[in-house]
Amino acid sequence: MLGKNILGLENFSAEEIRLVLKTAREMKKIIGGGVKKLPNLRGRAIVNLFLEPSTRTRTSFELAGKYLGADVVSINASTSSIVKGESLRDTLMTIEAMGVDAVVIRHKAEGAAEYAAQVVKPVIINAGDGAHAHPSQALLDLFTIEQFKGRLAGLKVAIVGDILHSRVARSDIFGLTKMGAEIHLAGPKTLLPRFFEFDGVTVHENIDAAIENADVINILRIQLERQQSGLFPSAREYARVFGINEARLRLAKDDVLILHPGPQNKGLEISNAVVYGANSAIHEQVQNGVAVRMALLDLTLNGGQL
Ligand code: NCD
């Protein structure tokens, strides 16, 4: 995977996904150990170009780079020359001129990461482009599922909520179907993609059908910033019909694993009790995010020797 741009999981083979998960398992041991510093990326430079808000993804990419010994700089939209009208292309070329080895980019436009890969040479890692893709999130979801379930193939995974605007759902679908999981999508009709023809994916309008007997439920945030008003009647109505609470959880398997990429709208798509309940792996997902991002940086910049 040396030099590979990480744009979306549609461009990954099952072998590459397995390699990332295996490398992340090694990285996780390092994070859990006393001294979190490897020499793998010493002398390398990474820029985090985050033009949309982020807490988890940006911090975990930053720590991942630092734990591997790289120099890491983060740029936010509000404090960069983008405020002065500088284009994405000029911003990228400026970063490239400083000798950077990788750019981790988050942008509100679908295709921004792919565009970046066309205009500059450093490795490009997509940290979320509009509603299109969020490959590192999907890989940490796969990693977390495998950690708890011991496998991915044959699992019933429900992905519920705002599928239409979710880059996480799209990347999860590519990753999980490649690994042999069975996907069940559910949400209000207005938040479901109109056309979804994909082997291994079933679309439900009734959320109970999607979560019945599920091994895993990935609950998506309602993307209030990406939708016009009127896609569902009211927050109360949404919570009642589609929200995941303890009563609804009983339809799934007893040991169902609850995922949410964060940040949560508590009381809307997920109840407080479910976020902090015994089935929740939401906190673990955040920890695993660092290990998976270390794996991605090491594999793309270093070829992955441990
Ligand atoms: C996700 C994102 O930004 O796409 N969050 C994340 O990366 N942890 C999901 C979301 O914002 O709902």
Side-chain angles (χ1 to χ4, degrees):
M1 284 175 60
L2 189 64
K4 183 180 171 84
N5 295 309
I6 310 296
L7 305 178
L9 291 194
E10 54 271 48
N11 310 318
F12 269 67
S13 65
E15 288 68 38
E16 284 174 320
I17 292 175
R18 267 192 285 275
L19 176 63
V20 173
L21 300 181
K22 179 170 159 264
T23 310
R25 279 196 294 275
E26 297 303 318
M27 296 300 178
K28 187 167 169 151
K29 289 183 204 151
I30 287 144
I31 300 169
V35 181
K36 297 185 277 284
K37 205 76 171 174
L38 287 179
N40 299 29
L41 297 182
R42 201 163 53 195
R44 316 298 288 279
I46 301 166
V47 166
N48 276 338
L49 180 61
F50 273 65
L51 307 179
E52 263 196 336
S54 170
T55 299
R56 295 158 192 75
T57 308
R58 197 189 64 208
T59 311
S60 57
F61 264 117
E62 194 165 324
L63 287 174
K66 288 180 174 170
Y67 291 168
L68 290 169
D71 292 306
V72 186
V73 175
S74 289
I75 301 176
N76 297 325
S78 60
T79 52
S80 74
S81 286
I82 289 179
V83 177
K84 301 179 187 168
E86 187 163 45
S87 68
L88 179 59
R89 184 192 183 103
D90 285 347
T91 303
L92 288 162
M93 288 173 72
T94 303
I95 294 168
E96 181 179 40
M98 295 183 195
V100 162
D101 299 285
V103 179
V104 180
I105 179 170
R106 169 168 286 195
H107 198 284
K108 68 174 191 304
E110 288 86 16
E114 194 164 343
Y115 173 74
Q118 280 163 18
V119 297
V120 290
K121 288 197 198 67
V123 165
I124 300 294
I125 301 187
N126 185 4
D129 61 330
H132 171 235
H134 194 352
S136 65
Q137 176 70 42
L139 289 164
L140 80 86
D141 290 345
L142 267 63
F143 184 89
T144 307
I145 296 170
E146 204 177 55
Q147 177 189 329
F148 283 91
K149 300 288 172 197
R151 66 191 167 107
L152 294 167
L155 294 178
K156 175 173 180 178
V157 181
I159 304 179
V160 301
D162 187 353
I163 313 283
L164 186 66
H165 299 99
S166 178
R167 52 195 178 204
V168 176
R170 236 167 294 277
S171 288
D172 274 345
I173 290 166
F174 281 115
L176 284 163
T177 52
K178 268 184 194 163
M179 304 312 282
E182 194 189 295
I183 311 284
H184 292 261
L185 302 178
K189 219 173 175 169
T190 47
L191 295 178
L192 282 172
R194 228 158 295 182
F195 306 102
F196 222 106
E197 284 184 20
F198 217 87
D199 269 356
V201 179
T202 312
V203 182
H204 304 263
E205 278 175 34
N206 178 345
I207 197 156
D208 293 349
I211 65 179
E212 195 176 3
N213 257 325
D215 296 289
V216 180
I217 308 177
N218 192 8
I219 304 162
L220 303 171
R221 182 176 65 91
I222 296 287
Q223 308 269 303
L224 295 165
E225 74 278 29
R226 286 188 222 286
Q227 63 181 50
Q228 321 89 315
S229 56
L231 291 179
F232 54 88
S234 70
R236 226 167 110 209
E237 174 92 359
Y238 184 89
R240 195 173 57 77
V241 182
F242 291 101
I244 303 290
N245 50 35
E246 282 178 306
R248 185 156 273 144
L249 216 54
R250 281 185 213 116
L251 295 168
K253 290 202 174 131
D254 287 345
D255 63 349
V256 63
L257 192 71
I258 297 296
L259 305 180
H260 189 304
Q264 300 103 27
N265 297 303
K266 296 199 186 76
L268 184 59
E269 72 262 4
I270 187 167
S271 74
N272 224 41
V274 173
V275 174
Y276 300 109
N279 297 73
S280 172
I282 295 173
H283 192 67
E284 197 75 20
Q285 281 178 283
V286 177
Q287 288 192 353
N288 290 341
V290 181
V292 164
R293 288 168 180 131
M294 285 173 80
L296 285 175
L297 290 171
D298 200 43
L299 290 168
T300 54
L301 292 180
N302 204 30
Q305 304 97 302
L306 281 170

